[in-house]
Amino acid sequence: MYKFLIFLCLPVFLFSQKQKIEGTVSNTQGEKLSAISINLLNAKNELLTTLVTNENGVFVIEGIADGSVKLVIKDLEYAQFEKNIDLESQNNTLNIILKKDVQDIQEVVMTKQKPLVKRKIDRLEFNVENSNISSLNAWEILKKTPGVTSTNDVLAIKGSQGILVTINDKKIMLTGEELKNLLENTQGDDVKSVEVITNPPAKYEASGSAVLNIVMKKNKIEGYRGILSSKYIQTQYAKGVVGISQYYKKDKLSLMGSYNLGTGTYYREGIDYVNYVEDQTRWISTMNRKDKNKSQNTVNFNLDYEIDSLTNMSLNYSGYFSPKSFGTYDVPTLIYNNQDIIESHYRTVNDHYSRAINNSVSFEMDRKLNKKSQLTWTNYFAGNNARKYQNVLTYLNFVNQPPKENNFLTNNRNNVQLYSTQADYQWKDDKWELESGAKYSFVKTDSQLDFSDNENGQLQYRPDKSNVFNYKEYNFALYSSLAYNPGKWNFKAGLRAEKTDLEGIVSEPYEVNKNNYWKLFPTLFVQYTTENNHQFGLSYGKRISRPSYSWLNPAKSYFNLFSYFQGDPELKATIVHNLNFNYTWKEWSLDLYYRKEIFPSMEISFQEPSNNNVIYHFTNIEKAQAYGLSLYKNLQIKPWWSFSISENVEHNENYFIGVDGILYNNKIWNWVSDVSTSFTLDKKSDWKIEVGHQYNSPSVQGTFRVSSSSSTYLVMNKKFLNKKLEASLLFNDIFRTSGEKVSTKYANQDNYYRDYRDAQSFSISLKYNFGNQSVKNAKTIKKADEQGRM
C-alpha cells in the first residue's frame, strides 16, 4: 500500500523541488558580460537575493521557494532590464541580452559610465574613457594608473620594475627614454583602458614580472571621422605636439590612421657627489642637461577586415622616428680636500646627438571554428635602429699638475630585430574555457662602438676601447590554460614551457657566451563572488625577467673622462615568484602580495678610488623579496563629485655583495600614496576639474637608497561647439617636489646624486572632432551563412 501512495505522491514531490535555472547575459554584439548584478524580487517587490554573472556571463537561479520572481538588472553601461519569470514553467536556460543606454544629443553619443576600476580573475582593468585623465598622453596615464608608481621615470608595479609594456598585447621594442617619448606622443583619447596584470596568465610570454597592457580604442562608428589635436607644454623650455587621427568604417572594412609630431627642448638638472675616504676628497659635479628634438614622429595605422562572418583579418603598423636629438652639456666639477677647500677642478663639455627609428608590423587572422572555438594566428615584426654620437672635451686643472685638455669621441650604433609567430586556440562554453598555443620568436641585435681619443696628441681610433657586440636569442614556447566558472567560484590554471637558446659574441676582448635552457612557468587563479558581490581572489605566478639587450653589451659607454656605463654579457635571467590575495567590493580593491626574486638584475654604481672613476653597470644581485598591501577606492560622493584613493605599503629587501665581498641587506618600509578628487562643473559642456597628489616615501634599489618625493597636479577639461572642440589645461608638479636623491653608502662607497627631471609644467591642449561622431546610424553587418550554420 505504501508503494502505491508513494507512486501517487511522486509528481507532487517532483514539482515541489526548487527549480534550477541557468542563464547567460550578453550584449547586442554577442559578448558575454561578466560581473553583472542581477536582483531577484518577489511579488511584493522585496529583494530575495542578488546574483552575479561569472567571466562567461553565466548565472544560476536555485534555492528559490517562490513560484515566480521578478528579475531586474541595473547597470551603469546598459539600459535597465526587467523580466517576470515563472520558475515552474520556465525552461532550464535563460538568455538575456542587454542594450546600451544611449542618448543622442546633437550627434554626440552619451553613454552611462563604467566603473573606473574593474577586477577580473587575472588582472585589474583601469577604464581611461571614464576619467578626466583621458586628455593626458599615454605616458602620464600609465603613471596615474592604480597600482603603478614612477620613480625617476621608471615605472613599477608593487615595487617591481621588471615590467613588460604592451599595446593591444603586442610587445614594444623600446625602453627607457625612447619608450617614454613614444608614449608621450600617443594621445590619451586613443586609449580605452590600461590592464595591470600582476600575474600574467599562461598565454602571455613569461618575460617580465608584470605586464602593463594599453588597450587602444576600436572604431565602432560608421562613415568617416577625424580628430585634430595640438598641445603646448611649458616646462623650463617649451615643447609642443600636433597630430591628426582619422577613422573610416564601412560594412566589413575598418581603417584607422594617426600621425603626431612632437618638438621641443628637454631639460634635466642634477648634482653628483662622491666622497673618497682614502684620500679624503670630495668630488662635486653640477650637471644641467639640455637637449633639443625638433622632430619626434609617431605613426599608427590599423586595418580590420571581415573576410566572412567567421574570419577576421587585421594589419597594424606603428612607427616612431626621432631623426636627431642634440645638445651640449657643460659640467663643472669641484674637488675639495679634507679642509673643505677647493684644491682641483675640471670642466667637461659633452657635445652629442642621437637618432632613433622604431618600426613594428603585426598581422593577425582570427577564424571561428564553431560556436565554441576559434583559432588565432599572429605574426609580429619589430625593428629598432639607434645611433648615439658624442664629442667630449675635458679641461683639467689638478693640484701639482699643469693644466691640460683631453678629448675623446664615441660613435655607438645599435640595431635590434625581433620576429615572432604565434598560434592560439580557444574553446569556450558556459562553464569551461580552454586556451592553448605555441609561439616562436627570434631576436638579433648588432651593436658597434667606435672610440677615438687624443692620447698621442691627435685624435686616433682606439681598437682596445672600441667594441662589436652581436647577440642572438631563440625562444620557443608552448602553453595551455583551463578555466572553470561554475557560478560563484571561478578557477583558472595554466602552464607555460619556454626553451631559450642564446649566443653573445664580444669582439674586444673576444668572448663567446652561449646558453640554452627549458623553464616551466605555472599560474593559478581562484576567485569567489558572494551573493552581495564581494569578490575574493588568490593567484600565483612564476615569471622570468630576461636582461635587456643593451644590458648585455660589455662596451664602456663614457659619460665623461671619469665616468662610464658598462653592461655584462653574462647577466643571468631573474626568476620571479608572485603570490597575491585580493578582495573587491563596490570599487573597493584590496591586494595582499608577496614577491621573491632570484638574481634580480639592475643598474647600480660603484666608485673606484684607484682612478677616481664612477662606474654604472647592470649586474645581478643575490636576491630580493617584498611583501605589502595595496588599497584602491573610487568614491562617488555626489553625482558631480568623486574621490579616488590609491595606497601601497611595502617592505622591500635587496641582498647584494658589496665591493668588499660582504653580503649586505638593503631594506626599507615604503609607502606610496595617490589621491585625487574630480568635479563636474557643467554637465552640458563636460566641464570637469581634477586635483591629485602622489607621495613616494624613501625606497631602495640594489645598493641605492632613494629619497622621498611627491607631485601635485590639476587638470581641467571643457567642451565647446556642440562638444566638437575640447580644451584641456594641466598643471603638473605644481610645487616642484618630484626631485629625488639617490645615494649609496657602505664600506668605502659614499656617493649620491640629486635628480630633477623638469616635471613642473603647464600645458594646454585642443582637440577638434570632425566628420561623423554618432553611432545612431551605424549599420549592423548582416551575418553570412557561415555563421548562421554554426
Side-chain angles (χ1 to χ4, degrees):
M1 184 66 181
Y2 73 93
K3 294 181 180 180
F4 179 72
L5 292 175
I6 293 175
F7 178 79
L8 289 176
C9 296
L10 182 59
V12 178
F13 294 151
L14 290 175
F15 284 103
S16 66
Q17 296 298 308
K18 295 175 182 178
Q19 181 77 351
K20 179 179 179 181
I21 298 173
E22 186 175 285
T24 59
V25 179
S26 58
N27 57 22
T28 53
Q29 286 76 40
E31 300 170 336
K32 299 296 189 293
L33 303 178
S34 62
I36 298 293
S37 295
I38 303 168
N39 292 327
L40 297 182
L41 310 176
N42 62 17
K44 298 179 181 180
N45 278 333
E46 297 172 338
L47 180 64
L48 297 175
T49 185
T50 299
L51 307 175
V52 179
T53 59
N54 64 18
E55 283 208 329
N56 297 316
V58 176
F59 66 94
V60 178
I61 301 176
E62 59 181 342
I64 303 297
D66 297 49
S68 62
V69 295
K70 183 180 180 181
L71 186 149
V72 179
I73 298 177
K74 295 180 180 180
D75 189 82
L76 291 174
E77 186 179 359
Y78 298 95
Q80 182 169 323
F81 178 89
E82 295 184 5
K83 184 179 178 65
N84 292 314
I85 301 175
D86 189 339
L87 297 179
E88 296 180 356
S89 60
Q90 174 66 38
N91 294 332
N92 290 333
T93 58
L94 177 64
N95 296 317
I96 297 173
I97 298 176
L98 300 183
K99 297 179 180 180
K100 289 274 188 178
D101 190 5
V102 178
Q103 306 168 14
D104 281 319
I105 304 176
Q106 296 179 348
E107 296 297 310
V108 178
V109 175
M110 303 287 292
T111 61
K112 290 186 177 180
Q113 290 189 340
K114 298 178 182 177
L116 284 178
V117 172
K118 184 177 181 180
R119 172 77 68 178
K120 296 183 177 180
I121 190 172
D122 56 4
R123 68 197 63 194
L124 192 72
E125 183 183 82
F126 177 46
N127 180 30
V128 176
E129 287 180 297
N130 291 339
S131 67
N132 293 331
I133 66 171
S134 62
S135 62
L136 308 180
N137 58 53
W139 175 256
E140 292 294 336
I141 288 174
L142 283 188
K143 291 169 64 176
K144 291 174 172 57
T145 297
V148 178
T149 59
S150 174
T151 302
N152 276 329
D153 280 340
V154 178
L155 300 177
I157 296 177
K158 295 181 175 62
S160 175
Q161 298 180 355
I163 299 174
L164 177 66
V165 179
T166 62
I167 296 180
N168 290 338
D169 287 330
K170 305 294 190 303
K171 184 178 180 180
I172 303 176
M173 284 289 294
L174 297 174
T175 57
E177 286 295 325
E178 292 176 349
L179 172 63
K180 178 174 177 281
N181 290 337
L182 168 68
L183 296 178
E184 281 183 334
N185 288 280
T186 300
Q187 297 295 328
D189 265 354
D190 292 331
V191 178
K192 178 183 178 183
S193 62
V194 177
E195 296 177 336
V196 183
I197 313 175
T198 308
N199 279 331
K203 181 179 180 179
Y204 288 84
E205 64 176 84
S207 182
S209 62
V211 172
L212 268 180
N213 183 40
I214 303 171
V215 181
M216 307 299 287
K217 291 180 181 177
K218 290 185 178 181
N219 184 24
K220 295 182 179 180
I221 299 178
E222 285 277 306
Y224 171 78
R225 66 185 180 96
I227 302 173
L228 285 172
S229 61
S230 64
K231 177 179 283 190
Y232 172 82
I233 308 108
Q234 181 64 55
T235 55
Q236 188 81 9
Y237 299 92
K239 294 184 279 290
V241 181
V242 294
I244 182 171
S245 300
Q246 299 180 84
Y247 307 85
Y248 176 76
K249 184 175 177 63
K250 183 67 175 176
D251 297 330
K252 299 181 178 182
L253 177 66
S254 179
L255 295 171
M256 186 282 288
S258 67
Y259 170 72
N260 291 285
L261 170 64
T263 182
T265 300
Y266 295 81
Y267 180 75
R268 180 177 173 184
E269 63 184 51
I271 182 170
D272 287 0
Y273 170 100
V274 184
N275 179 35
Y276 292 100
V277 296
E278 289 80 6
D279 58 7
Q280 296 185 337
T281 60
R282 291 184 295 116
W283 296 43
I284 301 177
S285 301
T286 303
M287 179 178 292
N288 296 318
R289 310 180 192 183
K290 179 182 175 183
D291 287 286
K292 295 182 179 180
N293 197 321
K294 295 182 177 180
S295 180
Q296 294 173 311
N297 305 271
T298 306
V299 181
N300 283 289
F301 172 78
N302 188 78
L303 180 151
D304 286 295
Y305 183 73
E306 185 178 339
I307 298 175
D308 56 46
S309 61
L310 302 179
T311 310
N312 289 288
M313 178 199 74
S314 66
L315 177 68
N316 178 266
Y317 167 78
S318 297
Y320 174 72
F321 309 92
S322 178
K324 188 174 182 180
S325 174
F326 59 93
T328 301
Y329 301 161
D330 193 340
V331 186
T333 300
L334 303 178
I335 303 174
Y336 294 79
N337 61 21
N338 58 357
Q339 297 177 346
D340 207 25
I341 299 174
I342 300 173
E343 65 176 15
S344 303
H345 62 88
Y346 69 91
R347 176 181 165 210
T348 302
V349 179
N350 186 315
D351 186 13
H352 58 276
Y353 74 84
S354 63
R355 72 174 188 188
I357 300 174
N358 182 270
N359 294 286
S360 63
V361 180
S362 65
F363 174 75
E364 186 172 281
M365 292 283 292
D366 186 275
R367 174 73 178 181
K368 290 184 178 179
L369 303 179
N370 51 51
K371 288 185 177 180
K372 294 184 178 181
S373 62
Q374 67 180 37
L375 187 65
T376 304
W377 179 43
T378 306
N379 289 277
Y380 177 69
F381 171 80
N384 183 27
N385 184 277
R387 181 179 179 182
K388 295 181 180 180
Y389 169 86
Q390 62 176 357
N391 184 350
V392 181
L393 182 62
T394 307
Y395 303 93
L396 299 160
N397 193 341
F398 278 66
V399 64
N400 300 325
Q401 295 182 21
K404 63 178 181 178
E405 294 182 4
N406 181 281
N407 184 214
F408 70 85
L409 283 73
T410 64
N411 190 2
N412 196 350
R413 297 179 292 276
N414 291 281
N415 185 39
V416 181
Q417 294 179 328
L418 166 67
Y419 170 74
S420 70
T421 182
Q422 179 169 343
D424 300 290
Y425 171 79
Q426 183 182 47
W427 177 89
K428 188 176 183 180
D429 68 3
D430 292 339
K431 294 184 179 180
W432 293 91
E433 181 178 355
L434 172 67
E435 288 182 319
S436 189
K439 180 180 179 180
Y440 170 79
S441 63
F442 167 66
V443 175
K444 178 183 178 183
T445 177
D446 302 308
S447 177
Q448 182 174 340
L449 173 68
D450 295 331
F451 186 98
S452 303
D453 66 10
N454 63 349
E455 184 177 294
N456 299 318
Q458 59 183 358
L459 282 171
Q460 290 185 342
Y461 174 72
R462 292 283 301 276
D464 58 318
K465 291 189 175 183
S466 302
N467 182 274
V468 175
F469 176 66
N470 296 321
Y471 178 81
K472 296 179 181 178
E473 181 179 298
Y474 304 85
N475 189 275
F476 176 70
L478 294 170
Y479 81 89
S480 186
S481 68
L482 182 65
Y484 176 54
N485 306 299
K488 297 178 181 179
W489 286 95
N490 294 324
F491 304 91
K492 186 173 183 179
L495 182 65
R496 187 179 184 93
E498 291 193 358
K499 184 180 188 301
T500 303
D501 293 290
L502 59 88
E503 179 184 77
I505 301 177
V506 184
S507 67
E508 186 61 41
Y510 182 80
E511 184 180 357
V512 178
N513 292 293
K514 292 185 178 181
N515 195 6
N516 61 84
Y517 53 86
W518 273 100
K519 294 288 184 182
L520 296 177
F521 302 96
T523 53
L524 176 65
F525 307 89
V526 180
Q527 188 180 64
Y528 175 72
T529 305
T530 69
E531 292 183 354
N532 296 323
N533 214 18
H534 295 267
Q535 284 185 330
F536 300 88
L538 180 67
S539 65
Y540 164 77
K542 178 185 176 184
R543 308 285 294 165
I544 187 170
S545 186
R546 298 184 179 91
S548 173
Y549 313 121
S550 60
W551 301 357
L552 300 168
N553 188 352
K556 296 178 179 179
S557 180
Y558 285 86
F559 302 125
N560 56 55
L561 195 61
F562 297 95
S563 181
Y564 61 87
F565 166 83
Q566 186 176 28
D568 182 357
E570 297 184 358
L571 270 180
K572 301 174 184 177
T574 304
I575 298 298
V576 184
H577 298 273
N578 289 318
L579 182 64
N580 291 74
F581 172 79
N582 57 71
Y583 165 73
T584 307
W585 181 66
K586 291 184 179 180
E587 290 199 55
W588 281 100
S589 181
L590 185 70
D591 197 346
L592 288 164
Y593 64 90
Y594 172 76
R595 180 182 67 255
K596 183 177 182 180
E597 300 176 77
I598 303 172
F599 296 123
S601 56
M602 60 186 65
E603 181 182 1
I604 65 173
S605 67
F606 68 92
Q607 59 197 68
E608 180 55 65
S610 61
N611 52 20
N612 297 114
N613 279 346
V614 176
I615 303 165
Y616 297 87
H617 69 132
F618 275 92
T619 186
N620 293 108
I621 65 173
E622 293 300 297
K623 65 178 180 178
Q625 62 180 4
Y627 53 88
L629 171 67
S630 294
L631 173 68
Y632 175 82
K633 171 61 177 174
N634 185 65
L635 294 162
Q636 194 67 44
I637 302 171
K638 298 285 185 180
W640 48 270
W641 180 19
S642 66
F643 183 81
S644 176
I645 180 171
S646 178
E647 306 290 334
N648 189 86
V649 179
E650 175 183 278
H651 184 264
N652 197 0
E653 298 181 356
N654 283 198
Y655 294 83
F656 66 92
I657 296 178
V659 294
D660 52 1
I662 297 175
L663 179 66
Y664 290 88
N665 181 10
N666 199 7
K667 59 183 179 179
I668 201 169
W669 277 98
N670 172 249
W671 173 41
V672 177
S673 175
D674 194 345
V675 295
S676 64
T677 184
S678 62
F679 306 89
T680 301
L681 304 180
D682 182 21
K683 214 170 186 180
K684 293 182 180 179
S685 61
D686 279 352
W687 187 7
K688 300 177 182 178
I689 186 171
E690 179 172 317
V691 181
H693 178 77
Q694 184 182 72
Y695 170 75
N696 294 308
S697 75
S699 59
V700 298
Q701 178 190 322
T703 63
F704 294 143
R705 296 185 74 88
V706 184
S707 70
S708 63
S709 63
S710 63
S711 178
T712 304
Y713 72 91
L714 182 148
V715 59
M716 183 167 59
N717 308 315
K718 189 173 183 180
K719 294 181 180 179
F720 306 87
L721 302 177
N722 293 327
K723 300 190 177 181
K724 290 186 176 181
L725 177 65
E726 179 182 354
S728 301
L729 293 176
L730 170 66
F731 299 88
N732 206 17
D733 193 15
I734 296 174
F735 304 107
R736 205 176 188 272
T737 51
S738 63
E740 294 172 325
K741 176 183 176 181
V742 182
S743 58
T744 299
K745 191 168 185 178
Y746 74 93
N748 67 341
Q749 302 292 296
D750 185 3
N751 59 78
Y752 69 82
Y753 65 90
R754 294 187 180 274
D755 189 26
Y756 183 74
R757 303 204 175 204
D758 202 22
Q760 188 178 52
S761 66
F762 160 76
S763 66
I764 179 170
S765 63
L766 296 173
K767 296 175 186 176
Y768 180 73
N769 298 278
F770 58 92
N772 180 35
Q773 300 295 320
S774 173
V775 298
K776 70 176 183 179
N777 296 320
K779 298 178 182 178
T780 302
I781 299 174
K782 185 177 180 181
K783 298 301 179 183
D785 291 340
E786 294 92 338
Q787 188 163 342
R789 294 195 299 266
M790 288 176 56

